[in-house]
Amino acid sequence: MQKSNANNTIDSPAKAERIPVTVVPSQSANQKIHIREQKGNFQKLRTGMNSLLVALFFLLPFISYDGRQAILFDLSQQQFIFFGTTLWPQDFTILAWVFIAAAFLLFFVTVFWGRIWCGYLCPQTAWTFIYVWIETRIEGNRNKRYALDKAPWSSDKLKKRALKHSAWGAVALLTGCGFIAYFVPARELYIDIFSLGASFWVTTWVWFFAICTYLNAGWMREQMCLHCCPYARFQSVMFDANTKTVTYDAARGESRGPRKRHQPSSLGDCVDCNLCVDVCPTGIDIRNGLQYECINCGACVDACNQTMDKFGYQRNLISYSSENTLAGKAEPFYESYKFIGYGVAALIMITVIAVDIYNRNNIELNVLRDRQTLYRETLDDKVENSFTLKIRNKTQQTRLYRIYVSGNNGYRLVGEANLTINPGEQLDYPITVVAEPSLLANSRNEITFTVAEQHNHGQASQQSSFFAPI
């Protein structure tokens, strides 16, 4: 967890007419970041949203629906169960559409609120703040943590570090279990893991994600945002003059400098308290201008407003503002081509998802001919062909089906036409079709198999060929 150096400063209000963009953080390259705890409206909102998402992450696998885990990626059975709906590999185009629609919705939001996803919804941010909260409770506030880093090793330091890393490890292990609970039954997973009764591969994957969580949230933290996350690199192409990002009003704040409270000053409103830097999760100085490292978490906004209140100055020296707002312009956001483009793209993808779900069939049928024998002539001068019907019940309920054939009035099924198939089961059902030769027009005739659910839950059809003597 390192900070980089930036020497960009704003020397005069004239330079604040447009938002400057830099790509260099503002801190010492060799100094570890310890985030100062900050309270305020935006931090309450961020904490509330992060807490809700973390709670949902852990609790969703324990929700049951129709006697089964409501959300489960069952890799062994190659199916994704979502509240009674089962998606098989051939249905995964729906998931592809969902991810594409989510991407366009993210771009759509970014046009107006910048990197708001990173600040309020990103799992990396949520788990980082959980780890920082644990660190603060054990090692103390920001200054005490810096002092502990510099202090020589002692029993007290060893005890605090051991306790902190043990707590981090416990959270990481729970996170690993929480993630794998979406792939194996959750109610058995936790018991098996903590009783050492889980299989080798389940244990391996739980510990793999636990180690990733420990390293990402405990050690890498802002490095993920600065160097690993691709969203940080291409987000700026979605910005325009109306995008609201965390912005320092240089025209009002400069020239900055310390002063006594409630006394007149010829300086700008920025008292150079440096709190905006101390509370920043990525260690940047927002006063240096818009930087790609900013995750729009609003911590510096709350810190600056706290200082403005103490000095009796107007709030929002740092705020969620756009370039046009700072310049005193008011342009309707809906006139933006990006607004229209991303909005239309998201609507198209949502429509595609709806159509794909509407046309999705709960029955899968595949007809295979007997490749060893084209046809057989029976003793009563009829012609018969053999087929194998592969019928999959794609629901989570036992279904009753009936088989029909069409294409020629002379076709007749030999064998049972009514079937019962268990949830998620694929049944390989051999079947024979008999026909009168006089009713067959050619040596190769069309035949259509239809499998229909008996309570009008859908049907599936597939054509094949019925062969006869020339």
Side-chain angles (χ1 to χ4, degrees):
M1 301 179 295
Q2 306 296 330
K3 295 183 180 180
S4 303
N5 184 42
N7 296 319
N8 291 356
T9 57
I10 301 176
D11 298 319
S12 67
K15 293 185 179 180
E17 293 181 0
R18 298 184 64 84
I19 301 176
V21 179
T22 68
V23 294
V24 184
S26 63
Q27 302 298 328
S28 170
N30 298 314
Q31 190 175 16
K32 179 180 177 181
I33 293 179
H34 282 299
I35 307 170
R36 182 190 185 111
E37 274 196 322
Q38 179 60 46
K39 297 180 180 180
N41 294 332
F42 291 111
Q43 297 319 290
K44 289 180 181 178
L45 177 62
R46 180 195 56 74
T47 301
M49 296 185 71
N50 285 171
S51 300
L52 175 61
L53 291 174
V54 170
L56 287 175
F57 170 77
F58 284 109
L59 294 178
L60 281 178
F62 289 95
I63 298 175
S64 296
Y65 186 86
D66 285 344
R68 298 174 61 96
Q69 185 168 319
I71 302 176
L72 180 65
F73 289 88
D74 192 340
L75 298 181
S76 62
Q77 299 296 323
Q78 297 184 345
Q79 55 182 318
F80 170 42
I81 301 169
F82 185 81
F83 288 93
T85 299
T86 304
L87 299 180
W88 299 85
Q90 56 269 31
D91 298 320
F92 274 19
T93 52
I94 296 176
L95 290 181
W97 301 136
V98 169
F99 289 135
I100 295 172
F104 280 117
L105 286 173
L106 177 62
F107 301 159
F108 183 73
V109 172
T110 302
V111 170
F112 303 106
W113 289 101
R115 203 174 168 182
I116 204 74
W117 159 269
C118 299
Y120 292 85
L121 297 172
C122 178
Q124 174 71 22
T125 301
W127 262 260
T128 293
F129 275 100
I130 290 173
Y131 273 50
V132 169
W133 183 88
I134 293 173
E135 188 175 52
T136 303
R137 302 287 84 74
I138 295 173
E139 295 185 352
N141 61 29
R142 179 174 180 269
N143 293 334
K144 290 181 178 179
R145 298 200 300 275
Y146 273 126
L148 188 65
D149 286 345
K150 297 177 181 179
W153 282 99
S154 63
S155 59
D156 182 63
K157 181 174 180 177
L158 182 61
K159 181 179 69 174
K160 288 182 178 180
R161 288 291 162 88
L163 182 59
K164 178 183 75 173
H165 288 286
S166 298
W168 281 4
V171 172
L173 182 58
L174 288 173
T175 303
C177 290
F179 187 82
I180 298 301
Y182 287 90
F183 297 88
V184 300
R187 298 178 189 275
E188 293 82 16
L189 172 66
Y190 286 86
I191 296 174
D192 291 343
I193 287 294
F194 290 102
S195 65
L196 304 180
S199 68
F200 171 79
W201 285 113
V202 169
T203 303
T204 299
W205 283 112
V206 166
W207 279 101
F208 172 78
F209 285 104
I211 292 171
C212 288
T213 302
Y214 174 79
L215 293 177
N216 287 347
W219 293 92
M220 297 185 69
R221 294 186 183 175
E222 77 282 350
Q223 300 301 325
M224 294 296 295
C225 303
L226 300 181
H227 306 299
C228 301
C229 178
Y231 184 47
R233 301 293 177 174
F234 65 76
Q235 59 161 334
S236 60
V237 302
M238 291 171 268
F239 289 4
D240 61 22
N242 287 310
T243 301
K244 292 183 180 295
T245 60
V246 173
T247 306
Y248 169 67
D249 188 351
R252 176 186 152 196
E254 300 298 318
S255 296
R256 73 186 75 156
R259 79 289 309 268
K260 294 183 179 180
R261 293 166 61 178
H262 306 296
Q263 289 189 4
S265 173
S266 60
L267 299 174
D269 284 356
C270 179
V271 300
D272 205 17
C273 63
N274 218 47
L275 284 178
C276 56
V277 180
D278 294 345
V279 301
C280 180
T282 57
I284 65 171
D285 189 341
I286 195 64
R287 295 171 297 180
N288 289 341
L290 179 63
Q291 298 153 70
Y292 80 86
E293 298 91 346
C294 176
I295 63 172
N296 265 25
C297 66
C300 58
V301 178
D302 286 329
C304 187
N305 283 340
Q306 173 185 302
T307 300
M308 293 297 101
D309 291 341
K310 289 180 179 179
F311 279 82
Y313 295 160
Q314 181 183 350
R315 284 183 151 222
N316 295 325
L317 176 60
I318 300 175
S319 64
Y320 286 96
S321 298
S322 68
E323 183 178 347
N324 279 335
T325 299
L326 290 180
K329 301 177 182 178
E331 296 184 7
F333 63 84
Y334 52 81
E335 292 184 0
S336 168
Y337 290 114
K338 292 181 180 180
F339 167 79
I340 298 172
Y342 292 134
V344 170
L347 286 175
I348 290 173
M349 297 314 305
I350 292 172
T351 303
V352 169
I353 294 170
V355 171
D356 207 350
I357 293 175
Y358 179 79
N359 292 328
R360 180 179 172 272
N361 202 337
N362 288 325
I363 308 169
E364 181 183 327
L365 172 64
N366 190 20
V367 179
L368 302 178
R369 281 190 47 81
D370 183 353
R371 297 184 179 276
Q372 295 182 351
T373 306
L374 288 180
Y375 63 88
R376 292 185 297 272
E377 295 181 86
T378 65
L379 295 177
D380 53 356
D381 296 327
K382 292 182 175 58
V383 179
E384 64 180 24
N385 284 201
S386 295
F387 303 86
T388 298
L389 305 186
K390 291 182 175 291
I391 309 168
R392 186 185 292 277
N393 175 9
K394 296 167 67 175
T395 72
Q396 293 302 309
Q397 297 81 34
T398 300
R399 299 292 194 191
L400 301 177
Y401 300 96
R402 185 171 180 83
I403 303 172
Y404 301 91
V405 291
S406 59
N408 188 297
N409 293 331
Y411 292 144
R412 179 171 57 85
L413 290 175
V414 178
E416 181 59 50
N418 296 315
L419 304 172
T420 300
I421 305 181
N422 295 323
E425 180 185 4
Q426 177 175 289
L427 181 65
D428 292 350
Y429 188 68
I431 196 168
T432 299
V433 179
V434 175
E436 294 283 350
S438 60
L439 298 177
L440 299 174
N442 303 295
S443 60
R444 181 172 182 172
N445 306 271
E446 287 187 356
I447 182 172
T448 301
F449 290 87
T450 300
V451 177
E453 209 279 320
Q454 291 190 358
H455 298 290
N456 297 321
H457 287 290
Q459 65 179 34
S461 298
Q462 185 174 333
Q463 285 188 343
S464 187
S465 299
F466 188 97
F467 289 92
I470 299 176

